[in-house]
Amino acid sequence: MAVSALELRPRNAIAVMDAALRLCARSTGVWALTLPGGAAVIASVLYLAEAVRMGHSLVLPSLAFTLAWFMRGVGQSAAAHHVQAVLLGPAEPTTWASLKAVLARLPSVFVAVAYLFVFNWLLFNLTLGIAFFVVSAQSVGYAAVMEGRGSVLRLYGQCSRLLGPARGTALKVRFLMSVQVLVFFNLHIGLNFLLMMARKLLGVDLTFAERYASLDNMPWLLFLAALTFTLFEPVRAAAATLLLVDGRVRQEGLDLLAAAQQLPTRSTGKPLGQRSAAMLAVLLGLGLLTGTPARAQEDAPRAPVTSSREAVRRLGQVAVACEVAGPEEDARFEKLGALGTGERGKLDRLVRAVERQAYDDEDCDSALGTLEQGLEQGSRTVQAQAAVDARQASARARDILARPEFAVAPPVEKAAEEPAEPTQPPDWWRRFTTWLGEFLKKLFERDEAPPTRNFTPPVVSGGAVANTLVVVIAGLTVAVLLYVLWSALKKNVRRKAGEGLEVSTLDASTLAGDAGHALSRPPEGWAQLADELAAKGAYREAVRSLYLALLSRLHRDGAILYDVTLSNWDYLSQFKGRMEWKPRFRELTLRFDFAWYGNTPVGSSGYQEFRALSAPMLAAPTPQEATGA
């Protein structure tokens, strides 16, 4: 929806920011055009930060960031075109129309993106950030590119010229953009609050997410900074376009023209300024109508002027054809464009006269003279109209302020203080509630701690005697417990020593049923069985019988404690027999393991060697058995 003529007035920085926020809140097209570029910038920044943190190559991340920045510039330019169409267009624009307009100026937009990036980088680094508080015209660069005026390589000068008196407002708007710092911290607090609510209410384990979303995590800070930057992209585009409109209003006096259009017309009498403007307009028209009737007939086929902008364009073409300054360099052309619809006929005659002299007569000198005269008269007419409109607007403002509703009310005199009415005694309900409140207050009051009294205790008191008795009793109890424990351990050691002297603790019938138990036969029985097996050629079984005979002998002698759960090498480690027999026992154990478990072939010679090694240990005298074995 286009802005009303009454709203075309100079605005301060706060009004521009407020208008930009309101426009972004009402128009979804601005968000649709700026958010894709902002999202691309966020993704590329996170990608670049992760590559730096991991030490990877920065070629692809830098390329992605460059492409995202160019995409962001295209979105900003399209959003500026969209905002300008919303403000000044006759109907609500579409995002596709803005995108088509940007594609038509895509080379200029790309040049502007690179120009602004390099310009801001150099400006910030060479001035140590001081230029941020002084230079601000480049903030409307994308909106100025969509205006299509001037060279893109002189973008800063073009922005300054379009802003005009609004350059100070642009600087203040840049200061107001520092509100992004508050948005940054609010985003951090809000996201952490959501994580806390999810953990408290839903019971979700978000420890990793809460650790990531902390201010000491650099990727999280970069994400918040990029998100804040993206959220303010629509506001930047809207503020830049509003600043250009404000600069145009201040330079062309559109606010005064809008106020003049709203004034009622009077049928009788004209002010001196109006008569002067009318006289200048008549002189302008009479000065331009210098052609003959024949020439007028020749000019008839030319198209009439439909607007002031059309007249300025055609006059500019004539100026360029005659090789003089055009509308881009001569500000008087812009003043002709500010003429109202009442002067359209006069502009039409001026255009026809200049074109006839330049094109038909091929007399550029006469055409330039007529054009110069028309520009001077048009400039004076615009100035006269501005002065008249200013006086009329001022008079209208004074009339409005003189209305009763704007009158300042006289100060109200304070009435004399009346004597206070005598208070009535409280009723029973108030007395009851007062008593109940005092009672509850006393009931829930904490008791004050009793005051401490310092006194010197006596040398010998009942408490000291009681403490001494407690220590003595505790010491005696510990001593008794230690004595009982020592006696039990000593008795257990004696019991184990007696068990080592036992020959067998198993029933003979049980041992006889287990043919693999070493104690199922005496040593002589295992040795006889070994000789029988060797006579049959079963040397491996014969070696096993000899080794079982050896284990039976050592158990009976008390050198080992036979147990089927122990291995042969466990018997060797707990060997308690004669020390000169331990190497022989190790050799016999090694040979038995190789022969029985390693399936090493054993012949007659191997059996005889095993028999010779075990013979001294098998022939040892058996010691007397302990009592009770």
Side-chain angles (χ1 to χ4, degrees), residues 425-438:
D427 52 359
W428 66 273
W429 175 253
R430 186 176 297 277
R431 292 196 301 270
F432 173 74
T433 55
T434 303
W435 172 83
L436 182 61
E438 294 178 354

Side-chain angles (χ1 to χ4, degrees), residues 18-101:
D18 181 69
L21 292 173
R22 290 176 181 272
L23 194 145
C24 293
R26 290 185 301 175
S27 177
T28 57
V30 185
W31 292 92
L33 292 170
T34 55
L35 284 185
V41 170
I42 291 178
S44 62
V45 167
L46 293 179
Y47 183 29
L48 183 61
E50 185 67 16
V52 172
R53 187 178 69 87
M54 299 299 294
H56 296 165
S57 175
L58 301 181
V59 177
L60 289 179
S62 301
L63 179 61
F65 178 77
T66 304
L67 294 177
W69 196 258
F70 274 94
M71 183 177 178
R72 180 241 175 195
V74 172
Q76 282 285 303
S77 302
H81 179 273
H82 186 81
V83 172
Q84 187 171 7
V86 169
L87 292 175
L88 305 178
E92 186 72 19
T94 60
T95 55
W96 292 111
S98 300
L99 286 176
K100 290 179 181 178

Side-chain angles (χ1 to χ4, degrees), residues 81-152:
H81 179 273
H82 186 81
V83 172
Q84 187 171 7
V86 169
L87 292 175
L88 305 178
E92 186 72 19
T94 60
T95 55
W96 292 111
S98 300
L99 286 176
K100 290 179 181 178
V102 170
L103 293 177
R105 298 183 177 274
L106 197 58
S108 300
V109 172
F110 282 171
V111 174
V113 172
Y115 178 91
L116 291 175
F117 184 83
V118 175
F119 181 82
N120 289 324
W121 185 83
L122 291 176
L123 196 67
F124 189 84
N125 287 278
L126 296 179
T127 63
L128 301 179
I130 300 175
F132 178 83
F133 304 97
V134 180
V135 181
S136 61
Q138 71 274 11
S139 60
V140 298
Y142 296 115
V145 169
M146 297 308 296
E147 292 283 340
R149 301 179 184 180
S151 174
V152 185

Side-chain angles (χ1 to χ4, degrees), residues 305 308 311 336 339 343-352:
V305 175
S308 301
L336 285 182
L339 291 174
E343 286 77 17
R344 187 174 300 170
K346 305 178 184 62
L347 281 177
D348 189 12
R349 290 190 290 273
L350 174 62
V351 172
R352 287 175 182 272

